[in-house]
Amino acid sequence: MTNEWRKLIHRNFDKAATSYNKNAEIQRAIAIKLAKLISKESIPNGIWLDLGSGTGLLADSLETLNPKQSVIRVDISKNMIDQQEAECLKRVWDLNLGLPLLPEPPTLLASNFVLHWLVDPTARLHEWFNTLASGGWIALSIPIEGSFPEWYQASKIAKVPCTAIELPSQDSLLKNFNSKQIQNKEVIRVSQTASNISTLLKSMKKVGAHASHNPSLSITDWRKLMKAWPVMKDKQGKLTWLIQILLIQK
């Protein structure tokens, strides 16, 4: 099951590579915010990596704000990597296998909307921390448990399975770190709205983020779900994300 899950995610992001930047509004906004937070800290010079870089939104923002520092883009999807400038430092690599071989311990491991796609995100995060140089940093954003309440509510009302991916909790992500190591743990609430509910869910497919452990719904069940989805006074549907921002120093 694990290998099939990894293959499915890889395939989805490969297919979405050319449409990703046009549709990744939330991912882009959070990448910029995360890069600004990172740039306010005294991150040591050395090896900086963008783990699960995709098309390079976070790495590009980091290099813009830190022009003397290069960032190595690491992603399993060659199609995603190929969307970036040819001169960028790149590495096609499956992060479920750990980090790629490096000449020395990294001083920054940054990641945007990636950790939840890996097998056992809590264990992966702890592994990343252990590879850091002394004084190095992890900086990441990840959607967490509590996201998509409208989707879960509609599924319950419609009595159909919710096909949203199960997300890690904040507690599970933080459990291996102490308060001195955690420099930032804010949670951001972001909502998408649309008059057509299917537009909200199709936006996930356009960025490759539509893998599910549950079977796809039938057309009948989709119609039930759309009908049960809560709408606001302006008849717009909403999809809410809870996004965990973490800055951790070793």
Side-chain angles (χ1 to χ4, degrees):
M1 179 65 179
T2 297
N3 283 338
E4 289 305 312
W5 177 247
R6 287 159 64 177
K7 289 178 182 177
L8 174 61
I9 293 166
H10 185 180
R11 185 165 61 248
N12 287 349
F13 282 108
D14 263 350
K15 289 181 179 178
T18 56
S19 63
Y20 187 89
N21 284 346
K22 294 179 182 178
N23 297 283
E25 294 179 5
I26 291 179
Q27 291 87 343
R28 177 181 290 103
I30 297 298
I32 293 170
K33 178 179 177 62
L34 185 58
K36 288 179 179 178
L37 289 173
I38 291 168
S39 300
K40 290 179 181 178
E41 304 294 343
S42 299
I43 310 294
N45 294 328
I47 296 178
W48 290 21
L49 285 83
D50 178 0
L51 301 179
S53 62
T55 58
L57 297 178
L58 178 55
D60 289 347
S61 295
L62 283 171
E63 290 182 342
T64 297
L65 293 170
N66 303 272
K68 295 182 180 180
Q69 175 68 53
S70 60
V71 179
I72 303 172
R73 284 91 164 143
V74 180
D75 201 283
I76 192 174
S77 170
K78 185 177 185 300
N79 289 356
M80 284 282 189
I81 286 279
D82 286 346
Q83 301 303 308
Q84 303 180 55
E85 297 294 333
E87 62 270 19
C88 292
L89 299 175
K90 310 172 189 177
R91 182 73 183 273
V92 178
W93 181 262
D94 183 355
L95 291 168
N96 286 299
L97 303 177
L99 296 186
L101 185 63
L102 301 169
E104 60 186 54
T107 57
L108 175 67
L109 297 176
S111 185
N112 185 45
F113 278 71
V114 173
L115 186 61
H116 57 297
W117 293 115
L118 302 181
V119 178
D120 197 344
T122 300
R124 299 290 81 73
L125 181 57
H126 196 217
E127 288 175 359
W128 293 357
F129 182 80
N130 288 336
T131 67
L132 286 172
S134 178
W137 290 68
I138 285 176
L140 65 86
S141 64
I142 175 176
I144 58 171
E145 183 181 78
S147 295
F148 317 137
E150 303 86 0
W151 194 348
Y152 283 99
Q153 179 185 342
S155 296
K156 184 176 181 180
I157 293 171
K159 297 181 180 179
V160 301
C162 182
T163 56
I165 183 176
E166 184 176 343
L167 296 168
S169 67
Q170 183 186 56
D171 288 345
S172 71
L173 295 171
L174 297 177
K175 71 177 186 179
N176 292 315
F177 307 102
N178 62 49
S179 58
K180 291 183 179 179
Q181 294 166 334
I182 300 169
Q183 306 300 317
N184 188 319
K185 59 176 182 178
E186 66 180 299
V187 176
I188 301 170
R189 182 182 295 269
V190 179
S191 293
Q192 296 172 287
T193 60
S195 57
N196 187 336
I197 304 303
S198 64
T199 301
L200 293 174
L201 301 182
K202 285 179 180 179
S203 66
M204 291 188 176
K205 186 173 184 178
K206 290 178 180 178
V207 297
H210 57 293
S212 174
H213 288 293
N214 294 317
S216 298
L217 297 182
S218 66
I219 294 176
T220 299
D221 284 346
W222 270 115
R223 288 173 178 166
K224 291 179 181 178
L225 181 69
M226 298 299 102
K227 187 175 180 180
W229 201 282
V231 294
M232 299 179 289
K233 290 182 179 180
D234 59 1
K235 297 184 180 180
Q236 293 274 312
K238 183 170 67 170
L239 185 64
T240 302
W241 301 66
L242 292 184
I243 302 167
Q244 176 77 66
I245 301 288
L246 282 178
L247 269 66
I248 306 171
Q249 185 179 23
K250 188 171 183 180

